[in-house]
Amino acid sequence: MGIVASIFMITGATLTMIGGIGVIRFRDLMSRVHAAAKAPTLGLMLVAVGAAIEIGTFDAAVALVLVVVLQLLTSPVATHVLARASYGQVDMALDGEDDLAALLAARAESGSSDPDHDPDAPGAP
């Protein structure tokens, strides 16, 4: 079991390192945010699986599952909040249509100050 656990942990650590290198190397904000969210999350999952295999107790497995679940819940939210907060603060080129700009313009036209109000949503006044 030690070899399998080692492979999981080394692979997870490598993915986390690649995510850190991506944060340093990528040029634009959205690429950096993507690198900071995706690779380390998978890396932590692999390290946790390797640690659970290596430790081999039920208590450790439960604790590591809790760590992974909390990471899966918080990482996408934190990434979204960071990207949304930086929107408009940083000039960036987009590949396609800017849906957020259209939503913000529609909110400005409707005079809504509620950040959760979508004027195009079904049943919206």
Side-chain angles (χ1 to χ4, degrees), residues 56-113:
T57 65
F58 180 75
D59 293 340
V62 169
L64 291 167
V65 165
L66 181 62
V67 167
V68 169
V69 167
L70 290 174
Q71 175 72 18
L72 289 173
L73 290 174
T74 58
S75 181
V77 173
T79 304
H80 178 80
V81 168
L82 177 65
R84 184 73 182 258
S86 64
Y87 180 82
Q89 304 295 321
V90 178
D91 292 330
M92 62 185 102
L94 299 175
D95 293 337
E97 184 179 335
D98 191 355
D99 294 332
L100 184 56
L103 178 66
L104 293 176
R107 283 187 190 155
E109 287 177 9
S110 69
S112 173
S113 62

